[in-house]
């Protein structure tokens, strides 16, 4: 109970934004072969979650990450508003299999807090995470994980946005960018 209260207080506190920067137009096709696991542990690739012709939002999270807790309700609101008009790929970044810092109970609590218990999230190990980050790995301070992290690709598969870290004020801007990507033809 005390742990739950502490977690709720920690999640409600504003998170510090680490970085906001548009990135050069990397193609999502370069990431299609990155190996991931389904929520149930079956091997898949990132490309299996991408419907061509739709914008794609890739968001990394972990159940122990305070800024991820702050970001989750914003991502959920975008997801609920835009539905199937874009690809939403929610990636749980793990340190091991199983990750001792992310028990099933902690993951369930995280998803419930964000309103995302119905999300078919996928799992990335450290190697897959590093492949997706590519050159952006340089933005991760030594000894840090660098999440939450969001990548937004337009409907042509060109990367148009990247961020890591999260502050409450970032939510409306991210929502605007995703809606703009969905509206563009």
């Amino acid at each position: 109970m005390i742990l739950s209260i502490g977690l709720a207080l920690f999640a409600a506190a504003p998170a510090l934004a680490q970085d906001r920067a548009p990135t050069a137009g990397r193609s999502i096709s370069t990431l299609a072969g990155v190996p991931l696991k389904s929520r149930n542990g079956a091997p898949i690739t990132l490309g299996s979650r991408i419907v061509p012709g739709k914008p794609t939002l890739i968001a990394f999270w972990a159940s122990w990450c305070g800024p991820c807790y702050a970001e989750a309700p914003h991502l959920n609101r975008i997801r609920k508003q835009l539905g199937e008009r874009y690809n939403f790929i929610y990636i749980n970044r793990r340190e091991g299999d199983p990750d001792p810092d992310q028990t099933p109970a902690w993951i369930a609590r995280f998803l419930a807090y964000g309103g995302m218990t119905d999300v078919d999230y996928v799992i990335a190990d450290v190697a897959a995470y590093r492949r997706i980050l590519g050159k952006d790995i340089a933005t991760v301070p030594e000894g840090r994980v660098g999440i939450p992290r969001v990548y937004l690709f337009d409907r042509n598969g060109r990367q148009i946005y990247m961020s890591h870290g999260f502050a409450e004020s970032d939510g409306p801007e991210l929502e605007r960018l995703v809606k703009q990507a969905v509206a563009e033809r």
Side-chain angles (χ1 to χ4, degrees):
M1 180 68 163
I2 292 173
L3 184 58
S4 295
I5 293 169
L7 179 60
L9 291 173
F10 179 68
L16 295 177
Q18 295 176 358
D19 185 29
R20 296 284 165 278
T23 54
R26 170 173 68 156
S27 173
I28 200 165
S29 65
T30 63
L31 304 175
V34 173
L36 302 171
K37 288 186 179 179
S38 71
R39 166 180 203 157
N40 298 323
I44 61 169
T45 62
L46 182 62
S48 70
R49 295 300 177 109
I50 299 169
V51 176
K54 292 183 180 183
T56 299
L57 181 115
I58 298 172
F60 285 97
W61 62 279
S63 62
W64 48 259
C65 169
C68 298
Y69 269 88
E71 181 184 62
H74 294 278
L75 292 173
N76 188 46
R77 183 171 41 256
I78 296 167
R79 183 177 74 91
K80 296 286 188 182
Q81 288 175 0
L82 298 177
E84 300 292 321
R85 295 176 14 208
Y86 78 112
N87 300 307
F88 177 60
I89 305 172
Y90 208 37
I91 303 178
N92 178 238
R93 191 230 185 247
R94 296 204 183 160
E95 291 288 333
D97 191 13
D99 184 338
D101 294 327
Q102 295 194 79
T103 66
W106 279 100
I107 290 170
R109 264 184 240 143
F110 176 90
L111 294 169
Y113 178 84
M116 300 227 237
T117 55
D118 62 326
V119 169
D120 191 20
Y121 69 87
V122 296
I123 300 162
D125 62 17
V126 174
Y129 173 73
R130 289 179 166 276
R131 276 187 64 188
I132 294 169
L133 264 60
K135 292 179 183 176
D136 291 335
I137 197 74
T139 66
V140 179
E142 186 65 34
R144 301 278 178 122
V145 176
I147 60 173
R149 182 169 296 264
V150 169
Y151 288 102
L152 180 59
F153 296 83
D154 67 15
R155 70 179 60 256
N156 298 313
R158 184 179 49 89
Q159 184 178 324
I160 56 175
Y161 178 78
M162 183 279 294
S163 71
H164 69 93
F166 188 80
E168 286 296 322
S169 61
D170 297 332
E173 177 65 5
L174 180 58
E175 183 175 334
R176 183 190 70 74
L177 289 167
V178 175
K179 285 180 176 179
Q180 180 179 333
V182 166
E184 289 178 355
R185 292 281 166 199

